[in-house]
Amino acid sequence: MRDTSCDFCADALNILVLQGGGALGAYQIGIFEALAEAGIQPDWVVGTSVGAINGALIAGNPEGERLKALESFWYGIAQPAASMGPAFHPWERSVARTSAMLWGIPGFFRPRPLWTVPIWQSFFGEPPSLYDTEPLGDTLNRLVDFERLDARHPENVRLSVGAVNIGSGALRYFDSSHEALDHRHILASGALPPAFPPVWVDGEAYWDGGLYSNTPVSWVLSERPHGETVVNCYVIDLWSADGKVPETLQEAQLREKDIQYSSRAGEHLNLLEENQALRMGIENLADHLPEELRQSPKIQRILAMTQQPSINVVRLLASARPGETSLKDIDFSRATIDSRRDSGYQDMQEVLSRCSQFAPLPEDIGVIVRNFTRNAEGELVSLSTPDASPVDDDQASITAEDLPSQATGS
């Protein structure tokens, strides 16, 4: 389905890019819910780790069943499964973290017997991991129609998931437009060591794609279609790159994790804009060439490389939450899942309300990146402006004169 809820999104290829982050991925439930309510269904989902799981649940179900599949997965793994109210939330979060480490999560992962874990030497042929993810494979096979993750399926939504080849250290994207996907590809994308075991696909062992790149924007940029198609790309970040200098060991562990898994999307999007500027420069230069030279095969090949679609990028960065610890990514308590889902829903709803007032992208711009997050006061701010001031209706209306200064990727 094409989005008709806002001018800048109309009649476009919709791409949803989902970062990895364990329990933080509950935020993406709300993101999808808000997009679906606005009539925006993805044509292509790109995910890493938990983003790959959520992506499979979306792409592997018909339109009307996607939110139900997300809810079935997340509420099925919630520990504790229900909340006793706000007064108990700190206790519930603590129980969730402890339970996940000691007993695993039903339907997701379970601990291996300690004597089988090959800490120094392998005696039982067990893989080098603390947990077994076979339950997740069973859950995915129950909730995902993998026949849909094949380009030959008439209702195929393209799905790409990133994983790292352990032997070569290279990042690989398993892509349903190139091959039929099954539960192994999703497990491979989320096989974070040493907790989870390597996953073997076609004779090669793979680990979590987040070890290499936790936000798979680069695959979108390398694989995006050529021609006249307008692309709307929604990039959802779960980790905060910004933060204060830690004063305690606990804060240091949290900050280390945030930096390690925070998005490199800004760098990729800056490159996108640089490439777009180069494309426009080549086209302008070609306008000054004699027609005979312009029609030469070499020049035509160069000009063909510049035929890229206009692309609107909306990047939403989930804000850090008070009281978070370095174990926030294993807090699967129902209360936290609900809270993160609500945050994603509210954030994307507000972002879409701002985007609905954006002017359509002029042909001579080609690329514009809009970054949003919430500040410490809970206000939605645009990081595309130098002062990151709260977004209001005046700021949301972008004119042709504004566009060059607005098109920023950081």
Side-chain angles (χ1 to χ4, degrees):
M1 178 184 295
R2 303 298 188 196
D3 169 39
T4 57
S5 64
C6 56
D7 291 340
F8 103 108
C9 295
D11 193 24
L13 177 74
N14 291 312
I15 305 175
L16 182 59
V17 180
L18 302 176
Q19 192 182 62
L24 308 185
Y27 182 80
Q28 295 166 352
I29 313 173
I31 294 294
F32 176 79
E33 184 177 14
L35 288 172
E37 282 189 6
I40 304 172
Q41 290 288 338
D43 302 290
W44 181 11
V45 185
V46 188
T48 299
S49 196
V50 76
I53 295 174
N54 285 336
L57 293 166
I58 293 169
N61 280 282
E63 185 175 314
E65 300 296 319
R66 292 168 184 168
L67 183 59
K68 293 179 182 178
L70 288 168
E71 292 173 336
S72 294
F73 173 76
W74 283 93
Y75 296 143
I77 65 172
Q79 300 291 317
S83 176
M84 294 185 290
F88 293 91
H89 287 177
W91 175 80
E92 291 168 359
R93 290 194 293 266
S94 178
V95 168
R97 296 190 296 263
T98 302
S99 176
M101 289 188 292
L102 294 180
W103 300 291
I105 296 177
F108 197 164
F109 59 90
R110 60 193 174 208
R112 298 186 184 279
L114 187 58
W115 59 88
T116 68
V117 176
I119 299 175
W120 295 285
Q121 189 171 352
S122 178
F123 295 102
F124 303 97
E126 294 287 338
S129 69
L130 297 171
Y131 301 94
D132 174 18
T133 54
E134 183 179 346
L136 177 57
D138 295 338
T139 298
L140 289 172
N141 283 326
R142 177 171 55 85
L143 295 178
V144 176
D145 179 1
F146 282 100
E147 290 185 2
R148 289 179 170 271
L149 303 187
D150 186 327
R152 294 169 294 183
H153 193 281
E155 298 179 6
N156 171 254
V157 171
R158 183 178 179 182
L159 176 67
S160 308
V161 298
V164 173
N165 185 301
I166 299 175
S168 67
L171 181 64
R172 175 177 175 179
Y173 282 96
F174 299 109
D175 193 311
S176 66
S177 70
H178 304 322
E179 59 188 311
L181 303 187
D182 58 42
H183 72 279
R184 296 171 304 152
H185 302 97
I186 313 304
L187 291 178
S189 184
L192 184 65
F196 299 153
V199 176
W200 291 79
V201 179
D202 299 332
E204 301 282 348
Y206 291 90
W207 269 337
D208 193 307
L211 296 174
Y212 190 103
S213 176
N214 200 33
T215 306
V217 172
S218 59
W219 185 245
V220 174
L221 302 185
S222 65
E223 287 277 307
R224 65 192 174 110
H226 294 259
E228 301 300 321
T229 303
V230 176
V231 175
N232 296 320
C233 184
Y234 303 89
V235 181
I236 311 303
D237 289 0
L238 301 177
W239 300 86
S240 175
D242 296 327
K244 68 174 186 176
V245 177
E247 298 178 357
T248 67
L249 286 178
Q250 185 180 54
E251 290 176 354
Q253 288 179 313
L254 173 60
R255 192 75 198 106
E256 176 193 22
K257 219 169 197 179
D258 279 339
I259 293 173
Q260 180 179 2
Y261 294 116
S262 63
S263 176
R264 302 296 179 265
E267 299 171 11
H268 296 307
L269 296 175
N270 279 329
L271 179 61
L272 170 65
E273 291 176 333
E274 290 173 5
N275 288 341
Q276 175 66 12
L278 178 61
R279 179 178 77 84
M280 299 302 297
I282 292 173
E283 289 183 344
N284 291 335
L285 178 62
D287 290 339
H288 294 83
L289 294 177
E291 185 62 23
E292 181 179 356
L293 181 58
R294 180 183 174 88
Q295 295 303 320
S296 72
K298 289 184 178 179
I299 297 299
Q300 285 297 305
R301 282 196 297 271
I302 293 173
L303 292 178
M305 295 170 62
T306 69
Q307 299 306 305
Q308 298 283 353
S310 297
I311 180 168
N312 297 286
V313 179
V314 174
R315 181 178 170 216
L316 180 55
L317 295 83
S319 55
R321 304 164 66 86
E324 286 183 335
T325 73
S326 61
L327 299 178
K328 62 183 178 180
D329 53 337
I330 59 171
D331 176 6
F332 289 93
S333 64
R334 176 61 185 262
T336 301
I337 289 174
D338 283 340
S339 178
R340 293 194 186 281
R341 174 184 178 172
D342 290 345
S343 294
Y345 179 79
Q346 293 169 12
D347 289 353
M348 182 53 75
Q349 264 203 330
E350 189 166 351
V351 164
L352 290 175
S353 72
R354 306 305 182 187
C355 291
S356 67
Q357 302 169 56
F358 289 153
L361 195 64
E363 293 182 359
D364 61 343
I365 296 299
V367 175
I368 186 167
V369 180
R370 302 179 178 96
N371 302 274
F372 299 94
T373 191
R374 291 197 183 274
N375 60 19
E377 289 72 40
E379 301 169 305
L380 185 73
V381 296
S382 170
L383 302 181
S384 299
T385 56
D387 58 355
S389 55
V391 178
D392 56 30
D393 291 346
D394 292 334
Q395 289 175 304
S397 299
I398 298 179
T399 65
E401 295 178 354
D402 296 328
L403 280 167
S405 62
Q406 290 284 336
T408 174
S410 60

